[in-house]
Amino acid sequence: MAIQSIEVMNVMAFQAQWKANHSNMRGEKLRKVGALWETFHLDFCDGINIIMGENGMGKTSLLKMIYAATQWSIKRTHSGKTKRFADFFADSLVDMDLLKNREKSDAQSYFEVSDGAHKVRYGLCPAGILNFDEWLGLDISSIFIPTTEMLSHSDGFLALNEKYHLPFDGTQVDIVVNASLPEAKKIPDYMEAILERISNAIGGTVIMEDGKFFVRKRNGAKINFSLEAEGLRKLGLLWKLIRNGLLEKGTILLWDEPEANLNPELFPLVVDILFELQKAGVQIFIATHSYNLAKYFEIRRNDERQVLYHNLFKAGAEISDGVEWMGKDDAAMGICNHSAMYLSELSQNKMMDADERLLDEAMRKSVGE
């Protein structure tokens, strides 16, 4: 099962706005100007969705909304065990109004996630979750990998959090829980191949003993997880999730900034692994600031590898190729998106602009010298 779309009204950075149509799934430009969308709306592909944009554009918020919705679909987490939406953003956030868009704090605020056949809507109001009866029981498996590396904090973490409510949000707690689960008795052969590639990169495998994680090196050494390079810890976490059988067909993987603390020479490995997971039936959502990482997906995909880029930016800027995005009020403009199959087709692509400015500056420096 794949998530097909999300709609957001006045939650966090997102607010009602005027907006032009975006590219369709084949990447063809739709140039109709001024189509009114009352809400922020984003359509996803079944493969790899790469969400980009400047800081404050809501990339992580979108991932957390999707993750919250998938968690609400799991029947065993019902009856008081389902996390409140606020828990995925901050520990013990009591005032839900803080999650409303500041410019629209008195307006209707909600987000809606759909798999194409079902949908769930969460309102930042007493109504709470709507359409819950049709959503609960879909049991959509999902994994959220936060930017913050958590396994090095695992010693006694879950017990302490249960008793003292440590200052970590729900996604950070959940990743420790998922990594701490027992390993699957058997995993598919193609997963074994992925594990081998990661193992080669980290020089061993990841084990858990007495509540602590270690990397068991191929020479027999056992290295405390916190003593490994942070980029390798990120790969080690991915190894453990796969070995625990948590990234199989039908799962949704949401990964916030995979490139953080990762040496760029490992980008091709991460991209290849994610393509293999996509081939296995995992739908993937990535939030990134890295042009190089995003470009590797474009270069290495083929007809079997589905990638869709989603660029988030502030409304009100005039766009090239005859497409224009407009805000009702320039002083209170919302977030817009432009989706395309290729990076070069994206409007307002500040990440690409920054890369080009660096190349221009390097060229001027070279010519000047």
Side-chain angles (χ1 to χ4, degrees):
M1 183 178 296
I3 298 300
Q4 297 295 326
S5 66
I6 187 169
E7 180 177 296
V8 190
M9 170 76 89
N10 302 326
V11 179
M12 306 293 284
F14 304 98
Q15 67 182 61
Q17 62 198 287
W18 282 87
K19 178 179 164 186
N21 290 333
H22 60 76
S23 300
N24 65 15
M25 294 292 287
R26 294 187 300 277
E28 298 168 352
K29 299 283 186 175
L30 298 179
R31 303 190 178 189
K32 182 178 178 182
V33 177
L36 173 62
W37 279 0
E38 294 182 350
T39 59
F40 174 90
H41 183 98
L42 199 54
D43 293 314
F44 303 116
C45 72
D46 293 346
I48 299 176
N49 295 273
I50 301 175
I51 302 174
M52 307 180 305
E54 298 176 87
N55 291 325
M57 293 297 106
K59 300 182 297 298
T60 299
S61 298
L62 286 177
L63 296 189
K64 289 186 174 183
M65 291 176 201
I66 296 169
Y67 182 64
T70 60
Q71 293 302 295
W72 295 330
S73 76
I74 302 173
K75 203 155 193 172
R76 66 178 180 274
T77 64
H78 195 34
S79 301
K81 294 183 180 180
T82 300
K83 294 179 181 295
R84 297 182 310 121
F85 174 58
D87 291 340
F88 293 108
F89 284 84
D91 173 64
S92 303
L93 183 63
V94 177
D95 188 358
M96 293 292 285
D97 284 345
L98 295 176
L99 295 178
K100 293 182 178 180
N101 183 277
R102 294 180 182 179
E103 301 291 340
K104 304 284 185 178
S105 58
D106 296 329
Q108 184 182 17
S109 303
Y110 69 87
F111 71 93
E112 182 176 281
V113 175
S114 173
D115 68 352
H118 316 86
K119 61 185 178 181
V120 62
R121 175 178 290 194
Y122 186 87
L124 299 181
C125 61
I129 303 177
L130 302 179
N131 306 95
F132 201 32
D133 290 342
E134 69 173 81
W135 191 257
L136 182 64
L138 294 178
D139 291 335
I140 305 172
S141 299
S142 64
I143 295 291
F144 188 107
I145 302 180
T147 304
T148 305
E149 190 279 306
M150 293 298 299
L151 298 196
S152 57
H153 307 293
S154 64
D155 188 14
F157 176 87
L158 297 178
L160 287 170
N161 186 67
E162 184 71 23
K163 185 174 182 178
Y164 298 109
H165 302 290
L166 300 177
F168 294 95
D169 68 47
T171 66
Q172 295 168 320
V173 174
D174 285 357
I175 197 61
V176 177
V177 171
N178 287 320
S180 302
L181 294 174
E183 293 184 353
K185 293 181 178 179
K186 182 175 177 56
I187 61 175
D189 291 341
Y190 60 84
M191 289 295 186
E192 289 282 8
I194 297 174
L195 289 176
E196 182 63 22
R197 294 195 66 180
I198 300 175
S199 182
N200 288 336
I202 65 176
T205 59
V206 180
I207 61 173
M208 184 178 186
E209 294 181 356
D210 300 323
K212 299 179 183 179
F213 288 92
F214 301 87
V215 177
R216 188 184 296 281
K217 297 294 186 177
R218 288 180 171 172
N219 62 5
K222 190 171 69 174
I223 308 299
N224 190 295
F225 206 75
S226 63
L227 298 180
E228 274 285 13
E230 191 160 350
L232 296 183
R233 280 185 250 163
K234 183 161 288 191
L235 291 176
L237 169 61
L238 189 60
W239 188 96
K240 197 69 174 71
L241 296 173
I242 295 172
R243 188 61 189 83
N244 290 359
L246 298 176
L247 290 175
E248 297 184 346
K249 183 178 181 180
T251 303
I252 294 172
L253 172 61
L254 305 111
W255 197 347
D256 196 7
E257 298 186 23
E259 74 276 8
N261 300 305
L262 193 67
N263 192 306
E265 70 178 6
L266 292 173
F267 287 1
L269 172 63
V270 170
V271 169
D272 286 347
I273 290 169
L274 294 179
F275 273 132
E276 287 300 311
L277 291 175
Q278 183 224 315
K279 183 179 179 181
V282 178
Q283 186 185 23
I284 297 168
F285 296 85
I286 291 171
T288 183
H289 289 286
S290 172
Y291 172 76
N292 288 347
L293 179 67
K295 190 65 176 179
Y296 268 116
F297 282 101
E298 182 177 286
I299 293 171
R300 296 203 166 197
R301 72 173 170 198
N302 53 36
D303 292 341
E304 296 179 350
R305 296 176 167 183
Q306 189 178 16
V307 179
L308 192 61
Y309 295 97
H310 310 281
N311 188 44
L312 309 186
F313 57 94
K314 281 286 187 179
E318 186 171 328
I319 309 305
S320 60
D321 295 329
V323 181
E324 185 180 20
W325 303 75
M326 300 174 293
K328 282 185 178 180
D329 180 358
D330 287 347
M333 295 180 293
I335 306 298
C336 287
N337 71 274
H338 187 209
S339 299
M341 294 179 64
Y342 298 95
L343 284 168
S344 60
E345 294 178 343
L346 290 173
S347 299
Q348 293 291 293
N349 188 349
K350 298 297 180 65
M351 193 167 67
M352 180 179 287
D353 292 345
D355 187 72
E356 290 176 352
R357 284 196 300 271
L358 175 60
L359 292 175
D360 289 344
E361 188 170 336
M363 181 66 69
R364 289 194 300 270
K365 178 74 171 179
S366 176
V367 172
E369 291 178 349

